[in-house]
Amino acid sequence: MHVCDTRYSELIPCLDRNLIYQLRLRLNLTVMEHYERHCPPPQRRYNCLIPPPVGYKIPIRWPASRDQVWKANIPHTHLAQEKSDQNWMVVDGDKIKFPGGGTHFHYGADKYIAAIAGMLKFPGEKLSNGGNIRNVLDVGCGVASFGAYLLSHDIIAMSLAPNDVHENQIQFALERGIPSALGVLGTKRLPYPSRSFELAHCSRCRIDWLQRDGILLLELDRLLRPGGYFVYSSPEAYAHDAENRRIWNAMYDLLRRMCWRVVSRRDQTVIWAKPLSNSCYMKRTPGTQPPLCVSGDEPDEAWNVPMKACITPYSPKVHKEKGTGLLPWPKRLTAPPPRLEEIGVTLEEFHKDTSVWHDRVIDYWKQMKSVSQKNSFRNVMDMNSNLGGFAAALKDKDIWVMNVAPVNMSSRMKTIYDRGLIGTVHDWCESFSTYPRTYDLLHAWMILSETEDRGCSIEDLLIEMDRMLRPEGVVIIRDKPHIINSVRKFLTALKWDGWSSEVEPRTDALSLNEEKVLITRKKLWKEKFTI
């Protein structure tokens, strides 16, 4: 394995604009197709290790990282200049600092969050509302300061932004240790199941919500839980000039036809709520647009699926119950998810899974004892999340987990969200949509053997894992012995030989024949390369 040229230190293979130009893809820029995934064919893959930028340092550890990062790690200061009046970020010597401001909350996300809770009349201006608001989707999130300040409320946000003219927003967010992902409301569904979020948020997110018969608002409708909120802070909600009035009136009319209602409006913000049941849909005049989706439009299919300009109605069960059936956080983490039966998993299997992963995580941490410190890990990825047992077992550690459901197990992602966790669907034969060096710990349970079974390259996947892993980050691979033996041959070439430990784990209820656990650590390496 050779090392890539330093010009590729921020390469995201499936979001590479140079590739789009080279392949001469004909994309519709007006609907953001150029910000969606376009992966290189096998012959166009780089197949090399991504080098860190010159002067790279081990990231500042959480919680200090919320407010500052090393400038050398993300040497981009144009956002600080462009957003200087909005308190997004400021350059201070060898660091970039984040005062907590945003486009519509110059005086701090904490005050803005309290104001939203006050608008909703939640007790004590606590947005979590007793644990009933847990999962939030923040679209057009900037450097994710809104999501950063939600964490202290026991709320986890999927902070989402494209790699657009404000490039590196998500790179800054992940460097800070804030849950976030690259993504865009374009032509395809976001890779999350239906009814995943209690609240969606847009603060000056520069999205044309009226385009294509309101298809983007209908995607938010798919993703919101019954009674879920849409918090919208934008000139259309408060400005009085003719154009903003026109947009507001059209948006208000569209959302009224979607059966959303305004629950609060104050200053620069309006909050809508989605209906709790199908009752309003049934009362609409026949032919009202947008239509209800037909029964064949599976709302939980979320990988590479075109958005549909239709309203996703509730199942008879949800309609009858007028809600999700979810317990407040943190009780929902260990309670059987309401949608468990939809994926054919019994209560006994769920509890067994939770128990097994609790024990396995204890064993992992014992195995890593000599190299892990209290704050070694912040951004964690579970590459084969199943029911979310691995992430649930980490609840007492100051980390967050990006749970990933491989495409053949995508239906299980809804149990992740029902437990108050976050995650995404992904095909591991392709590169993941994240910047290089964004995760401290990767957990790969049987994902390498599954990739091999599908006829995809294990070597390609290892190179991709290295791209996502921070220097001095750790990989936990739990797989068949022949897979572990294959990986061991690559450790030196990958520069993953800083430290490693291999054991044969004890047999448990999830053991699949023979298994081995390899835990290995990536070195911080610096070499001179020419451009």
Side-chain angles (χ1 to χ4, degrees):
M1 292 176 187
H2 65 285
V3 174
C4 296
D5 195 295
T6 49
R7 78 182 81 176
Y8 301 117
S9 69
E10 292 176 353
L11 177 70
I12 311 166
C14 295
L15 296 173
D16 182 4
R17 285 198 202 95
N18 291 326
L19 178 77
I20 289 173
Y21 300 142
Q22 290 164 12
L23 297 181
R24 298 181 180 177
L25 300 179
R26 294 187 175 183
L27 304 175
N28 187 339
L29 306 190
T30 63
V31 295
M32 304 299 173
E33 273 192 304
H34 53 308
Y35 294 138
E36 294 183 323
R37 290 172 57 82
H38 302 282
C39 296
Q43 66 273 19
R44 298 299 296 269
R45 290 180 176 174
Y46 289 95
N47 293 326
C48 50
L49 304 183
I50 302 296
V54 174
Y56 181 86
K57 301 180 183 182
I58 298 301
I60 294 168
R61 297 301 184 185
W62 184 267
S65 63
R66 187 193 75 171
D67 302 324
Q68 56 185 0
V69 301
W70 296 118
K71 184 172 71 174
N73 292 8
I74 310 179
H76 301 282
T77 57
H78 56 280
L79 261 184
Q81 295 152 10
E82 186 180 334
K83 300 291 184 179
S84 60
D85 61 329
Q86 296 171 13
N87 263 342
W88 275 34
M89 49 193 275
V90 293
V91 179
D92 185 0
D94 59 357
K95 292 175 182 172
I96 295 174
K97 295 187 175 180
F98 303 89
T103 307
H104 264 80
F105 43 93
H106 304 180
Y107 301 109
D110 49 353
K111 295 181 179 65
Y112 176 66
I113 291 164
I116 293 169
M119 289 175 69
L120 291 168
K121 297 183 171 58
F122 289 166
E125 293 192 332
K126 299 290 185 186
L127 191 59
S128 62
N129 191 27
N132 289 300
I133 302 279
R134 166 63 181 171
N135 292 3
V136 167
L137 177 67
D138 186 16
V139 292
C141 66
V143 292
S145 288
F146 182 68
Y149 282 82
L150 284 174
L151 289 165
S152 62
H153 295 256
D154 268 346
I155 296 173
I156 190 163
M158 179 67 83
S159 295
L160 195 74
N163 186 19
D164 61 6
V165 293
H166 292 153
E167 57 187 281
N168 308 101
Q169 298 171 103
I170 294 299
Q171 191 178 17
F172 279 119
L174 288 165
E175 184 76 7
R176 296 171 71 186
I178 303 164
S180 44
L182 281 161
V184 66
L185 283 163
T187 68
K188 294 175 180 168
R189 286 178 174 175
L190 295 178
Y192 320 124
S194 70
R195 308 200 314 269
S196 293
F197 302 96
E198 281 93 18
L199 187 147
H201 174 253
C202 157
S203 171
R204 199 71 176 269
C205 57
R206 304 190 313 147
I207 291 172
D208 175 7
W209 295 107
L210 295 172
Q211 64 177 278
R212 291 172 287 157
D213 302 315
I215 197 168
L216 305 184
L217 280 169
L218 290 159
E219 173 64 356
L220 285 192
D221 185 84
R222 181 184 74 86
L223 294 171
L224 280 175
R225 303 201 200 274
Y229 299 105
F230 177 42
V231 178
Y232 187 56
S233 297
S234 192
E236 297 84 22
Y238 64 86
H240 295 290
D241 59 281
E243 179 60 10
N244 279 314
R245 287 296 85 201
R246 182 194 67 79
I247 295 170
W248 165 259
N249 290 333
M251 199 167 165
Y252 182 88
D253 180 59
L254 170 62
L255 287 167
R256 181 184 55 79
R257 285 183 273 116
M258 287 169 56
C259 291
W260 290 21
R261 62 187 177 88
V262 172
V263 291
S264 188
R265 190 176 178 187
R266 185 191 301 168
D267 300 328
Q268 301 180 345
T269 301
V270 61
I271 303 176
W272 277 279
K274 180 183 171 180
L276 281 165
S277 72
N278 293 332
S279 298
C280 173
Y281 307 143
M282 297 171 181
K283 295 173 185 172
R284 298 194 314 164
T285 305
T288 298
Q289 297 295 317
L292 296 182
C293 300
V294 298
S295 56
D297 290 330
E298 173 49 59
D300 293 326
E301 287 185 0
W303 180 251
N304 213 17
V305 177
M307 288 182 193
K308 296 182 173 67
C310 57
I311 299 168
T312 306
Y314 298 122
S315 67
K317 182 183 178 198
V318 174
H319 168 68
K320 184 180 178 182
E321 293 176 355
K322 294 187 177 181
T324 59
L326 292 172
L327 295 175
W329 175 266
K331 290 180 181 177
R332 69 175 65 169
L333 180 66
T334 49
R339 294 188 272 185
L340 207 55
E341 60 185 277
E342 293 179 20
I343 60 171
V345 175
T346 66
L347 296 180
E348 183 185 5
E349 288 170 326
F350 172 77
H351 289 303
K352 192 182 293 179
D353 183 88
T354 300
S355 173
V356 165
W357 282 110
H358 176 267
D359 293 341
R360 285 183 173 188
V361 164
I362 288 172
D363 289 342
Y364 290 158
W365 255 252
K366 284 179 182 174
Q367 210 174 330
M368 295 188 292
K369 191 175 181 181
S370 64
V371 290
S372 66
Q373 298 168 345
K374 183 183 177 185
N375 60 354
S376 294
F377 308 123
R378 172 60 186 170
N379 302 353
V380 175
M381 177 184 284
D382 188 4
M383 297 173 67
N384 184 13
S385 56
N386 194 34
L387 303 176
F390 174 77
L394 293 169
K395 69 180 188 303
D396 294 329
K397 300 187 185 298
D398 203 2
I399 65 166
W400 67 273
V401 180
M402 178 66 79
N403 292 280
V404 183
V407 280
N408 62 324
M409 300 291 279
S410 62
S411 63
R412 302 202 161 201
M413 184 48 59
K414 59 183 128 181
T415 66
I416 302 292
Y417 278 93
D418 281 358
R419 299 182 77 172
L421 303 167
I422 61 168
T424 184
V425 177
H426 183 65
D427 183 345
W428 283 116
C429 290
E430 299 180 0
S431 174
F432 194 83
S433 293
T434 194
Y435 284 89
R437 302 171 300 280
T438 45
Y439 285 90
D440 302 298
L441 174 66
L442 303 178
H443 177 241
W445 172 49
M446 304 305 292
I447 202 67
L448 288 160
S449 56
E450 182 192 295
T451 301
E452 182 183 58
D453 291 344
R454 291 181 60 205
C456 299
S457 165
I458 286 183
E459 186 173 341
D460 284 352
L461 183 51
L462 290 171
I463 290 171
E464 173 62 5
M465 290 166 69
D466 179 77
R467 188 186 71 86
M468 296 189 292
L469 191 65
R470 287 173 168 175
E472 294 194 1
V474 170
V475 181
I476 303 174
I477 300 174
R478 188 183 198 103
D479 218 310
K480 298 171 183 175
H482 84 272
I483 294 288
I484 299 298
N485 293 339
S486 296
V487 172
R488 267 213 320 266
K489 296 172 186 174
F490 290 107
L491 292 185
T492 301
L494 286 163
K495 308 182 195 299
W496 287 7
D497 52 353
W499 172 89
S500 66
S501 169
E502 184 181 323
V503 298
E504 289 187 19
R506 54 187 167 180
T507 303
D508 56 38
L510 295 182
S511 297
L512 303 170
N513 301 316
E514 287 185 86
E515 283 184 350
K516 282 191 174 181
V517 174
L518 173 66
I519 305 182
T520 187
R521 190 181 193 187
K522 176 178 175 176
K523 288 178 178 175
L524 169 60
W525 49 270
K526 299 177 183 178
E527 297 176 24
K528 291 182 181 178
F529 311 103
T530 55
I531 294 178

